[in-house]
Amino acid sequence: MTPLHTTDPDIAEFLESELERERQVLEMIPSENIVSRAVLEALGSVLTNKYSEGYPTKRYYGGNQFIDEVETLARERAKALFSAEHANVQPYSGSPANLAVYFALVKPGDTVMGMSLAHGGHLTHGHKVSITGTYYNAVQYPVGDDGFIDYDVVRALALEHKPKLIFCGATAYPRIFDFEKFRAIADEVNAYLVADMAHVAGLIAGGVHPKPFPHADVMTTTTHKTLRGPRGAMILCKREDRLHDIHHAGSKHDLATLIDRAIFPGLQGGPHNHQTAAIATTLKEAAEPTFKTYAENIVKNAKALAESLLNEGMTLVSGGTDNHLILMNLRPQNVNGAVIETALDDAHITVNKNSIPNDPAPPMKPSGIRIGSPTLTTRGFTEDDMRVVGQLIAQIIKAPNDVSVRESVKAKVAELTSAHPIYPNLSYL
Ligand SMILES: *Cc1c(COP(=O)(O)O)cnc(C)c1O
């Protein structure tokens, strides 16, 4: 029972440095968050020791009575929170969860459709460098010139290409998804509708964004973004395969069984039980009234930040935000996202460079940055704080090479972070 700092002082040192970094910076990457002590404890637990291939009560290894309890509780909580008929909590992360959905529902070479990465979609929605754009005939839909999804365009592409599976969901889209419209389009071409809610799952759980069910057949989500849990993912779905006779005639399986079999034995081996326990705890936290307030505050804070940036003369894709993130178009400022990412980093504000829709600039020097509110909201930042943060970001954008501006922003960041501390008693040394 030798502690980490004795066994491996190098790693302990790096953990302490990362903890200090997280304490000191404004972490504004929209796909990140700060988990609770309870989630950290579950994640760092003895459950990592156990092999449990299979599902509760149907395992390939003995000694799983408590693992079964953990996984069953996680599944029940997931179903209740998202109004789902079935839940699989074993996916190692978001990308394998999506891959399992393809494996469950379509065959290599089949046509699938998702939002283009360049317009805010995820790699796993059919991008050409992803396995999903290589093994499947992937059709990609754009956003309209106003930055919003144009459902007429999505429908026209669907009618033209007849995908068997349509993904909705995104990683850089600041607006709300209309699941009813997506489902109507899916119905016209007999496609499955998969809602990948990785980014906004916490907003859905908190009741500030609409639920994909009953419109979607399947919902996938990561658990580590707005949901504020450990790195991991879930697949939620209906029980019945409503397109069984069209796409899976001859199969004896319902949709829930197709999904479960795609995760194990299709794609994965033993589940990460420590991760499952931490997901269960995350779902308990997300069902509490305080989480509803948290989700409301994420959106309020993103809107306050957007308003502040607009007041500073900045340009936002789609003109603002309905969720936890902002996509800023830096072209009017004649500067690229990579330069601003680095300049902000030096001032202790962490964001990521990002392409904007129809970006003429290359992906490594794109025209935008993506900024999110989940982490700062977890720290207790208010709308007033966010307006100040907006001013600080704008100061850097207007003078990315000015060292004195950078130093004054960094000092202001130190004030803000010390007013909203995290992990007060934690230390790895
Ligand atoms: C983050 C994300 C994923 C992938 O999650 P990883 O855990 O990074 O594999 C999938 N889809 C969307 C929409 C995402 O935002």
Side-chain angles (χ1 to χ4, degrees):
M1 287 307 288
T2 314
L4 177 67
H5 59 81
T6 308
T7 300
D8 193 343
D10 295 327
I11 287 294
E13 191 72 51
F14 294 141
L15 296 191
E16 190 70 14
S17 300
E18 170 61 12
L19 173 59
E20 239 356 89
R21 188 195 68 82
E22 291 185 16
R23 282 177 172 146
Q24 284 171 7
V25 306
L26 299 182
E27 190 68 74
M28 300 189 75
I29 293 174
S31 47
E32 295 184 8
N33 217 320
I34 301 169
V35 301
S36 68
R37 175 192 161 149
V39 168
L40 275 186
E41 261 181 52
L43 197 59
S45 67
V46 293
L47 269 54
T48 195
N49 294 336
K50 195 73 196 100
Y51 244 107
S52 51
E53 282 180 358
Y55 290 101
T57 73
K58 285 176 251 143
R59 305 284 188 184
Y60 290 82
Y61 292 82
N64 274 302
Q65 60 271 44
F66 304 114
I67 300 298
D68 280 3
E69 301 275 8
V70 168
E71 188 171 339
T72 301
L73 190 54
R75 292 207 290 197
E76 292 308 318
R77 285 175 179 169
K79 280 156 57 178
L81 195 58
F82 294 101
S83 307
E85 292 171 10
H86 179 71
N88 187 310
V89 295
Q90 293 192 6
Y92 299 146
S93 210
S95 301
N98 284 345
L99 205 54
V101 173
Y102 286 86
F103 190 57
L105 299 183
V106 292
K107 295 212 156 49
D110 280 350
T111 300
V112 298
M113 196 166 102
M115 191 192 274
S116 145
L117 177 80
H119 289 247
H122 191 259
L123 279 165
T124 55
H125 296 187
H127 190 273
K128 62 180 186 309
V129 304
S130 157
I131 196 168
T132 62
T134 311
Y135 288 6
Y136 304 94
N137 173 37
V139 177
Q140 304 272 272
Y141 56 86
V143 293
D145 289 337
D146 59 1
F148 286 76
I149 293 170
D150 183 337
Y151 293 90
D152 293 335
V153 170
V154 177
R155 177 169 179 267
L157 278 171
L159 291 176
E160 184 186 343
H161 297 282
K162 304 270 189 305
K164 281 192 184 174
L165 183 162
I166 298 175
F167 262 87
C168 65
T171 110
Y173 184 66
R175 298 299 181 176
I176 289 173
F177 300 99
D178 190 331
F179 302 116
E180 239 175 298
K181 283 194 182 145
F182 269 111
R183 172 60 187 270
I185 294 165
D187 278 346
E188 282 192 84
V189 297
N190 292 320
Y192 293 101
L193 179 62
V194 182
D196 177 356
M197 298 290 100
H199 261 266
V200 292
L203 304 181
I204 296 168
V208 299
H209 271 215
K211 287 182 178 174
F213 296 117
H215 308 296
D217 296 286
V218 179
M219 168 181 155
T220 58
T221 181
T222 55
T223 46
H224 49 274
K225 297 180 184 176
T226 51
L227 197 56
R228 206 165 63 186
R231 311 200 76 75
M234 307 188 290
I235 307 176
L236 312 174
C237 64
K238 301 268 189 63
R239 270 225 156 267
E240 190 201 341
D241 178 359
R242 71 187 166 85
L243 298 171
H244 175 274
D245 296 347
I246 296 168
H247 296 315
H248 299 120
S251 162
K252 54 186 188 318
H253 300 307
D254 61 10
L255 188 61
T257 310
L258 289 174
I259 293 290
D260 282 352
R261 290 168 62 97
I263 284 289
F264 178 84
L267 188 69
Q268 298 188 169
H272 294 178
N273 298 307
H274 55 305
Q275 185 182 41
T276 306
I279 289 173
T281 302
T282 298
L283 293 166
K284 180 168 198 278
E285 290 179 353
E288 267 154 29
T290 48
F291 196 88
K292 188 173 170 40
T293 310
Y294 170 59
E296 286 165 2
N297 288 343
I298 287 177
V299 177
K300 280 188 196 162
N301 279 348
K303 283 182 186 288
L305 179 64
E307 192 186 294
S308 164
L309 291 165
L310 290 169
N311 283 341
E312 295 292 329
M314 300 294 143
T315 306
L316 310 183
V317 173
S318 87
T321 182
D322 296 324
N323 59 19
H324 62 300
L325 73 82
I326 289 164
L327 190 54
M328 195 189 296
N329 174 1
L330 295 165
R331 295 192 78 74
Q333 276 69 39
N334 271 317
V335 63
N336 75 59
V339 166
I340 295 304
E341 178 189 295
T342 306
L344 285 169
D345 229 349
D346 287 344
H348 286 179
I349 300 176
T350 311
V351 305
N352 68 281
K353 59 179 173 291
N354 214 99
S355 296
I356 57 170
N358 303 311
D359 202 334
M364 288 313 284
K365 287 182 179 175
S367 303
I369 52 171
R370 198 179 60 143
I371 320 172
S373 62
T375 297
L376 298 191
T377 307
T378 296
R379 295 183 78 139
F381 277 55
T382 63
E383 289 166 271
D384 280 344
D385 294 328
M386 296 307 277
R387 281 187 269 272
V388 174
V389 171
Q391 289 162 1
L392 299 178
I393 292 173
Q395 282 172 24
I396 297 286
I397 291 171
K398 288 172 186 171
N401 301 314
D402 188 323
V403 178
S404 66
V405 168
R406 194 172 299 180
E407 288 309 313
S408 89
V409 168
K410 204 195 278 187
K412 194 72 199 151
V413 167
E415 272 177 42
L416 286 165
T417 52
S418 41
H420 302 287
I422 56 167
Y423 299 127
N425 301 315
L426 189 60
S427 172
Y428 294 102
L429 297 180

